[in-house]
Amino acid sequence: MSAYDSIARIYDPWSTGVIEDISFYVEEALAAGSPIVELGVGTGRIAIPTAAAGIDVIGVDSSAGMLDVCAERGRDAGVAERLDLRLGDLRRPPVDERVRLVTCPFRAYLHLANDAERLDALTAARGLLKPGGRLIFDVFRPSREDIEETHARWIEREPGIDERADWDLERQALTLSVRGANGESTMTLWWLEPERWNALLAEAGFVVDACYGWFDRAPYGGGEDTVWIAHR
Ligand SMILES: C[S@@+](CC[C@H](N)C(=O)[O-])C[C@H]1O[C@@H](n2cnc3c(N)ncnc32)[C@H](O)[C@@H]1O
């Protein structure tokens, strides 16, 4: 059972405002060519536009409920034949293919609790890549303002969908709760400073090509978000 199973039916309305990353990941998929692997594919928020652009996507996720929604959305969008959805853990992805691009969008790596898990995940992603192939993912660490504005408060994020963030600065852990008419869940995310992601990528055998601060490819300037491009 994944913490996402019980919110699979509200994930899309919850994330409806998150659109800034879609064209970025679709462009990278088009540049790499089929197939690509998306780790933590979820309901296909990015995989479905990617498939609609003509790229085959092998999508891995540990939530059967999220994959069910993704499959339905793929059929509705007429791209089901381009989506190969696989239930599994991104630290041990059930993927034998070797590809030119592996992605892990929208902070899915923040579900990893410690460096051992992060290294397992990065090493596994590297193992899926052909020589020179790239891993692209985005993560965040909170700003002081974000913590002050949101800590321990239920906030209506989208109509009918409330979110609550409980920040633990010592453990660098965010307990995130979401509730709506069709589901609710609580999950933990652990954040790191960008320097730590850089070091973990090197330890896993990656060469970092870029660390952007946003999906417009602006260089990282100390903000909350980082977008990483690294090759094996
Ligand atoms: C924030 S959602 C991102 C979904 C999608 N990539 C997107 O951009 O909307 C994180 C996803 O990662 C999945 N996930 C979390 N931990 C995972 C793990 N260890 N292995 C596989 N999937 C995982 C969750 O089930 C969820 O679907």
Side-chain angles (χ1 to χ4, degrees):
M1 193 65 186
S2 152
Y4 278 86
D5 286 334
S6 54
I7 53 162
R9 298 285 158 188
I10 64 167
Y11 181 84
D12 288 335
W14 180 31
S15 59
T16 197
V18 185
I19 50 171
E20 60 275 356
D21 51 355
I22 298 174
S23 59
F24 170 84
Y25 280 109
V26 172
E27 272 170 32
E28 292 294 341
L30 284 168
S34 291
I36 69 146
V37 173
E38 182 179 338
L39 300 170
V41 67
T43 60
R45 193 180 62 80
I46 287 173
I48 287 168
T50 303
I55 300 295
D56 296 340
V57 180
I58 300 168
V60 175
D61 205 284
S62 54
S63 164
M66 295 289 273
L67 290 179
D68 286 346
V69 175
C70 188
E72 278 171 28
R73 288 187 57 189
R75 283 193 293 275
D76 291 349
V79 297
E81 76 287 352
R82 290 205 181 277
L83 296 176
D84 179 348
L85 303 177
R86 304 182 190 179
L87 184 64
D89 194 303
L90 55 77
R91 289 167 292 171
R92 294 175 294 280
V95 178
D96 293 325
E97 294 87 340
R98 295 297 172 261
V99 299
R100 291 181 45 75
L101 177 64
V102 172
T103 63
C104 188
F106 201 20
R107 306 168 172 180
Y109 276 156
L110 296 190
H111 290 296
L112 301 167
N114 53 50
D115 279 357
E117 292 192 5
R118 293 174 195 118
L119 269 178
D120 278 354
L122 293 174
T123 305
R126 187 174 180 277
L128 302 180
L129 289 169
K130 292 180 175 171
R134 302 201 298 170
L135 169 67
I136 306 186
F137 66 96
D138 60 277
V139 285
F140 86 105
R141 53 114 193 231
S143 65
R144 183 185 298 269
E145 298 76 48
D146 192 9
I147 293 171
E148 280 167 8
E149 266 170 39
T150 61
H151 182 61
R153 292 175 50 214
W154 282 101
I155 294 169
E156 187 173 44
R157 178 66 57 197
E158 295 292 342
I161 301 188
D162 298 332
E163 183 185 288
R164 171 179 165 141
D166 289 272
W167 304 94
D168 181 335
L169 289 177
E170 202 169 309
R171 290 170 57 234
Q172 300 206 156
L174 160 62
T175 303
L176 185 64
S177 302
V178 57
R179 64 184 184 201
N182 294 317
E184 60 181 81
S185 191
T186 295
M187 59 187 77
T188 309
L189 294 93
W190 289 266
W191 72 87
L192 290 183
E193 300 308 310
E195 296 73 22
R196 284 297 304 144
W197 281 110
N198 198 40
L200 287 166
L201 281 163
E203 204 174 329
F206 281 102
V207 177
V208 173
D209 299 316
C211 174
Y212 300 129
W214 195 237
F215 298 98
D216 58 4
R217 299 174 195 272
Y220 178 64
E224 292 193 293
D225 295 277
T226 45
V227 183
W228 295 87
I229 301 188
H231 75 266
R232 75 167 283 174

